[in-house]
Amino acid sequence: MSEPARPSADLARARRHLERMGYLRGGLPPSPPTAGQKVVFLLALWVAVSATLVGGALARSGASWAQVSVVALAVAPPVLVVLGAALLAGRAAAARLLAWGGTPRRIATSFAWAAALATLAGIAGSLGRDALGSFEAIMRVAAGAAACAVVAGMAARRALLRELGGEEPFRPPRRRRHLDQLALLAITGAGLGSAVLPRAAPPVVPVAGAFATSAASGRVAVVGVDNLSHGDLDALAAVFPGDDWDELADWGWVEVRGASAALPAVAWTSIACGAPPSEHGVQVMEEVRLFGRSEGVVLPPALRRLVAVVWSPFSAVKVAARPSLDRRLPTFWEMASRAGCPVLVGGWWGSWPVRHVLGDVVSERAWLGGATGADAVSPALAGAVVAAWQQGQEAPAATDLLAEELVRSAASRQGASLVALWLPALDLTTRLGGAAGVMASAARLEPHLRVLRTLVERLENSGYTVWLVGIPRGAGTPFAASRSVLCRGGHGSASAAELVAAWLDQLGLPPPAGGVRPSADLLGRPAVFQPAVDYGPPPIPVVRPSAASATVQREVLRSLGYLR
């Protein structure tokens, strides 16, 4: 038996006219929606799905409404294309199944489930498991995705029943349309609200005295040097025989495992935290700059690829490197500070924004760009930043001048102290000048090398146990050298976690919980095992940096060749 024929347009208009006149009351099936109503519903569904994707991509990122609107504009076209393709494919497939003998009700129900599952899978696949930043954001986006799936499935079933001429249970059309519209409006609001949720505040942990332990008693200085390998020390001893480089080259040293990374921010943070990037959270990401905007946003990989495919032909999207700034683990100087040891930090990656510590910090924001805001430098050292940049003019010279000032301050301190210095001048000079390595332009790098040698000598004369940590450019292996290291000739190796434990031990402090204990080779003496303690999360920032400040910092790094 053949299926009932679909009503003609004239018959549909007559039915709507009789309904308006009040002649058709009771249990008759509702009249089919007009073309305008269909378009409005599809637009509402389109906006709801786009808002859900935007909310998931930017959840808990502190995004501004301007960023939300730009991402929504970039996401909307691919969502519209997918919806259109699904509609055309669904109608064609339903007609084919009907011709093969399928009943309208079974076809409509099957396609309703397919539409719902496809909606869920599409949203989940575009966002990925790492896109969401908090439990509330996950719940909001999950609820929005589920609601989109339910509305899409129900709408697909009703539409197919009308198209195929099957029965449709009676429901007042006006009320049904209002429920759909309200559901999609709620989904849109939840998605956009998730996009601008403020970041969760980290737990507050006291600066010092977080655990019971003996007071720090040692004096340790960790000097990190970019673009320096241990082989360079041997070569410098031959090139500058009268400059005591042979003494540095004769220090015991070990290769550092697990600290190699293309971006210095990632490598130095791994050493500072004694943990890999997957644990401390500072990793190389890719930001998407849309429609010529200088401010980029970070999107989940699948969504980023989708946006790039759509907008790249129009030169409306640019993908650039961007380091994440939210660090989940404390650094070795923050551990020491929390245990009551005064610290002095100069330029080390991961020191921006300045956090509440027992001591003073010149973060990489001030070290590389001369910023003097409260998020970039401790007030006591703001004048030193201004003076160094006025005299040095450019980053290589300014960082050397700042390092000299901090070493003078460290030498005048009495008692226990920890100094963490990062010297990028060798690397910056190479990056800006195009030289291949340290020895390729030794003459041009001689002033910076002389500063390095002088700083190490002053720190040793002031009673500090000095550690020299170098990371070569390219595929070289990082190393750590000190007089206290017993390993000679590079036969030993140590992880970043072992180094952090060794530095804390030489300060008289216990190792961090969950880490490793330093070996006798690193300490130069038998290890005294103290109970490990939990140093807690990173201290809270003195001032949370603004989005504009983060943008400026990324541009400074890009201008210095750190980001491509």
Side-chain angles (χ1 to χ4, degrees):
M1 183 175 179
S2 61
E3 296 293 336
R6 286 179 287 180
S8 65
D10 292 338
L11 182 58
R13 284 195 296 270
R15 175 186 288 185
R16 285 193 292 271
H17 176 70
L18 292 175
E19 284 179 345
R20 288 193 297 269
M21 298 296 293
Y23 291 110
L24 298 181
R25 301 280 186 183
L28 292 176
S31 60
T34 63
Q37 291 169 344
K38 292 180 181 179
V39 170
V40 169
F41 172 78
L42 289 175
L43 289 176
L45 180 61
W46 172 40
V47 172
V49 173
S50 300
T52 303
L53 288 175
V54 173
L58 302 181
R60 283 291 190 190
S61 65
S64 64
W65 281 110
Q67 289 176 309
V68 171
S69 61
V70 170
V71 176
L73 180 60
V75 166
V79 172
L80 183 61
V81 171
V82 171
L83 283 178
L87 284 174
L88 294 176
R91 293 183 65 177
R96 180 62 58 89
L97 290 176
L98 184 64
W100 289 347
T103 63
R105 183 174 293 276
R106 288 184 178 179
I107 294 174
T109 302
S110 300
F111 275 70
W113 279 103
L117 293 177
T119 303
L120 277 177
I123 293 176
S126 298
L127 296 179
R129 65 180 181 178
D130 299 327
L132 306 178
S134 70
F135 179 76
E136 307 112 81
I138 292 175
M139 289 299 99
R140 290 192 185 199
V141 175
C148 283
V150 170
V151 173
M154 294 176 62
R157 186 175 186 276
R158 290 196 301 265
L160 281 175
L161 282 174
R162 287 193 299 267
E163 289 286 334
L164 303 177
E167 296 179 357
E168 183 180 4
F170 172 74
R171 195 179 193 186
R174 188 180 302 277
R175 192 190 337 163
R176 185 182 65 212
R177 288 196 298 269
H178 287 172
L179 287 176
D180 290 346
Q181 292 166 3
L182 288 176
L184 294 175
L185 181 62
I187 296 167
T188 302
L192 296 180
S194 299
V196 295
L197 281 174
R199 296 181 180 182
V204 178
V205 178
V207 174
F211 47 83
T213 182
S214 58
S217 57
R219 291 165 69 84
V220 176
V222 182
V223 181
V225 185
D226 253 333
N227 195 19
L228 182 70
S229 67
H230 192 267
D232 292 332
L233 295 180
D234 295 326
L236 289 169
V239 174
F240 304 109
D243 219 3
D244 293 333
W245 285 104
D246 53 344
E247 182 183 348
L248 274 179
D250 195 46
W251 281 6
W253 65 284
V254 292
E255 295 181 347
V256 182
R257 303 188 305 269
S260 299
L263 190 65
V266 179
W268 288 109
T269 304
S270 297
I271 292 176
C273 297
S278 59
E279 295 182 16
H280 62 65
V282 177
Q283 304 183 58
V284 180
M285 305 183 299
E286 289 184 325
E287 70 176 11
V288 179
R289 298 184 173 192
L290 297 163
F291 313 123
R293 291 173 59 91
S294 60
E295 184 180 8
V297 293
V298 177
L299 299 177
L303 195 59
R304 182 180 67 242
R305 288 192 292 268
L306 185 62
V307 169
V309 167
V310 173
W311 294 105
S312 292
F314 305 99
S315 301
V317 61
K318 180 181 178 182
V319 180
R322 169 180 176 176
S324 55
L325 300 175
D326 288 333
R327 179 165 43 83
R328 296 192 292 263
L329 297 179
T331 60
F332 66 88
W333 61 83
E334 291 167 352
M335 299 179 197
S337 167
R338 191 156 282 157
C341 178
V343 300
L344 185 62
V345 183
W348 200 293
W349 289 105
S351 58
W352 181 71
V354 173
R355 299 175 183 269
H356 289 280
V357 295
L358 187 62
D360 297 311
V361 177
V362 182
S363 73
E364 72 263 29
R365 175 94 167 84
W367 205 256
L368 294 173
T372 56
D375 66 318
V377 60
S378 300
L381 296 175
V385 173
V386 173
W389 275 88
Q390 285 179 345
Q391 182 178 350
Q393 299 296 322
E394 294 183 350
T399 56
D400 281 348
L401 292 171
L402 276 171
E404 290 177 329
E405 178 60 31
L406 264 63
V407 168
R408 279 194 290 268
S409 176
S412 65
R413 292 188 173 190
Q414 302 298 318
S417 179
L418 172 64
V419 178
L421 287 180
W422 174 59
L423 304 181
L426 299 180
D427 187 47
L428 289 174
T429 303
T430 302
R431 288 176 183 272
L432 300 177
V438 171
M439 298 312 301
S441 55
R444 188 158 52 91
L445 297 177
E446 183 179 2
H448 307 299
L449 293 168
R450 187 166 55 248
V451 168
L452 169 61
R453 188 66 193 90
T454 301
L455 294 180
V456 171
E457 182 180 0
R458 287 180 179 175
L459 287 169
E460 285 197 308
N461 292 338
S462 302
Y464 285 89
T465 300
V466 180
W467 286 77
L468 186 65
V469 182
I471 298 183
R473 289 193 71 182
T477 303
F479 76 95
S482 176
R483 290 185 189 275
S484 65
V485 178
L486 296 182
C487 298
R488 302 287 170 176
H491 297 297
S493 66
S495 66
E498 291 177 280
L499 288 178
V500 169
W503 299 333
L504 293 174
D505 184 272
Q506 291 180 339
L507 288 170
L509 301 176
V516 297
R517 299 181 183 275
S519 65
D521 286 342
L522 283 181
L523 298 176
R525 56 171 172 75
V528 178
F529 294 112
Q530 302 186 55
V533 299
D534 184 3
Y535 286 94
I540 60 173
V542 175
V543 175
R544 172 66 68 176
S546 64
S549 180
T551 301
V552 171
Q553 175 68 357
R554 288 196 297 274
E555 292 310 308
V556 169
L557 299 182
R558 191 166 281 112
S559 68
L560 294 175
Y562 287 114
L563 300 179
R564 298 295 182 186

